[in-house]
Amino acid sequence: MRRVILWFVLVVISGGVLLGGLELLLQAGAWWVRATGRGTPVAWMTDEVRVLCLGDSNTYGLYLDPVDSWPSQLELRWNEAVQSPKVKVYNLGFPGTNSSNVRSDFVRMVDTFQPHVIVMMVGANDFWTAPKKLAAPTDSARSVSEFVESHSRLLRLAYMLYRANSDDELQSPRNQATPSEQAAGVVRREFEFGDEVFEVGMVRDREWRPGVESMQILQQNLEELVRLARAKNTPLLLMSYPAQGGFYPAASHLLERVAEESQTPFIDLRSEFATRCPDRECRELLFPDQHPKAAGYKIIASEVLPRISQLLAE
């Protein structure tokens, strides 16, 4: 029995030393790449760059075929223009999504997709949908776990090997709302990716009164999303809305403010569309309710593509 226990202890210690040595070797390699000024090979051990797009109907592509949304156009344009590495864009935008929805599942989304870049445009729905109740803050043990997951090269290598041999695809959202929920103004959908399920949608709460509180919640959520992205060591790109009407200007203002204060990369789509539109309605690029048309999404994709290339090269 003592020999068995001794053998088990030796195996555990040897395994720990081996894994620790591999981690140190990978960290040293990453340090050397940064020290010599060479760009990190973003597609190392895989054949693709992963881009995660988060937001609402303006990211989803309301009224249009999925191929006309800006995430789909981004993937198509990148892969037509760039020989290697190819890009894989995951569009988790959905109509009615507010910043609380994104924040509640953000860490799990990043852990699941392991994106090289996150692109986010969210906030307009915070002014007319109820905020989602968020889980309690993580404890110190969870914080240590998140730090290890975010900075371990060995875990990242293991994930890349797994993804290289996996054929999981992001499934179109399925309706999960009951008839009574739908009658009450609740929209619930589920995205599936492998074994992971992400719930999206909105809740029309008659007791919720948008106002100053909506602005405060949106700003807090955006600031926390920036912090979480940095904790995960994942570049985040924020964008304003292209539209000028409704709640869009207020949301765009906060997106720009948080980006400026946190020094987060930002694309000012509002100004870009304003220079292209002869009037506020901008009928060539926007529908009457201010959602982008296919031509508008083409402009967004053309603005996002070089910024992603820049972030990957840094």
Side-chain angles (χ1 to χ4, degrees):
M1 179 61 68
R2 290 181 178 178
R3 289 183 178 180
V4 173
I5 295 176
L6 180 60
W7 177 84
F8 178 77
V9 172
L10 289 175
V11 169
V12 171
I13 294 176
S14 299
V17 171
L18 177 61
L19 292 176
L22 287 173
E23 179 68 37
L24 289 174
L25 183 62
L26 291 172
Q27 292 289 352
W31 174 85
W32 180 82
V33 167
R34 292 193 298 268
T36 55
R38 300 186 181 187
T40 303
V42 294
W44 182 52
M45 296 302 296
T46 66
D47 294 327
E48 63 188 21
V49 171
R50 295 178 300 280
V51 178
L52 180 60
C53 302
L54 304 176
D56 49 39
S57 53
N58 291 267
T59 299
Y60 174 81
L62 194 64
Y63 308 132
L64 302 171
D65 292 332
V67 294
D68 291 323
S69 67
W70 73 258
S72 293
Q73 292 201 47
L74 170 66
E75 179 174 300
L76 179 62
R77 294 188 63 175
W78 177 294
N79 292 334
E80 285 181 344
V82 181
Q83 294 298 318
S84 180
K86 297 301 182 182
V87 69
K88 179 64 177 178
V89 180
Y90 297 101
N91 183 1
L92 267 71
F94 189 77
T97 297
N98 60 34
S99 62
S100 298
N101 296 133
V102 176
R103 178 179 170 180
S104 66
D105 247 354
F106 185 80
V107 171
R108 194 161 61 92
M109 288 177 180
V110 176
D111 288 342
T112 299
F113 294 97
Q114 291 287 308
H116 294 93
V117 178
I118 302 168
V119 186
M120 185 169 64
M121 175 171 54
V122 73
N125 293 318
D126 283 61
F127 298 94
W128 63 278
T129 61
K132 187 174 183 178
K133 186 176 181 180
L134 300 173
T138 56
D139 56 23
S140 57
R142 177 60 180 167
S143 298
V144 172
S145 174
E146 289 180 351
F147 178 84
V148 173
E149 291 175 3
S150 302
H151 294 83
S152 173
R153 299 281 171 175
L154 189 58
L155 286 177
R156 190 174 304 177
L157 174 60
Y159 177 82
M160 289 178 175
L161 290 172
Y162 163 75
R163 290 302 314 152
N165 294 281
S166 174
D167 58 357
D168 291 337
E169 291 291 335
L170 182 63
Q171 303 299 316
S172 299
R174 300 183 304 170
N175 182 20
Q176 296 295 318
T178 65
S180 60
E181 286 178 328
Q182 295 181 47
V186 177
V187 176
R188 287 199 300 114
R189 297 288 191 275
E190 288 184 347
F191 282 102
E192 293 185 6
F193 184 77
D195 296 331
E196 296 293 333
V197 177
F198 303 96
E199 184 176 297
V200 295
M202 64 178 182
V203 177
R204 293 176 180 268
D205 190 344
R206 295 178 180 178
E207 297 181 359
W208 174 245
R209 295 292 181 267
V212 175
E213 186 178 2
S214 300
M215 298 281 286
Q216 294 173 340
I217 291 175
L218 175 55
Q219 181 167 344
Q220 291 170 0
N221 286 338
L222 291 175
E223 290 171 347
E224 178 64 9
L225 286 164
V226 169
R227 187 194 71 79
L228 291 172
R230 288 179 177 170
K232 288 294 182 181
N233 200 28
T234 305
L236 173 64
L237 176 61
L238 296 177
M239 299 194 299
S240 65
Y241 288 91
Q244 299 290 328
F247 294 120
Y248 291 124
S252 293
H253 172 71
L254 280 180
L255 283 160
E256 185 173 13
R257 177 199 293 178
V258 171
E260 181 178 356
E261 293 178 350
S262 62
Q263 297 185 329
T264 299
F266 177 74
I267 296 179
D268 186 2
L269 293 176
R270 181 173 49 173
S271 297
E272 180 63 29
F273 273 67
T275 61
R276 296 171 180 265
C277 299
D279 55 41
R280 184 169 179 170
E281 294 184 357
C282 199
R283 297 177 182 178
E284 293 184 2
L285 303 178
L286 303 174
F287 286 106
D289 65 357
Q290 299 285 284
H291 282 90
K293 296 181 177 180
Y297 279 129
K298 183 178 181 180
I299 294 173
I300 296 176
S302 67
E303 291 293 313
V304 174
L305 193 153
R307 294 300 299 273
I308 288 180
S309 298
Q310 180 182 2
L311 288 174
L312 293 174
E314 293 178 352

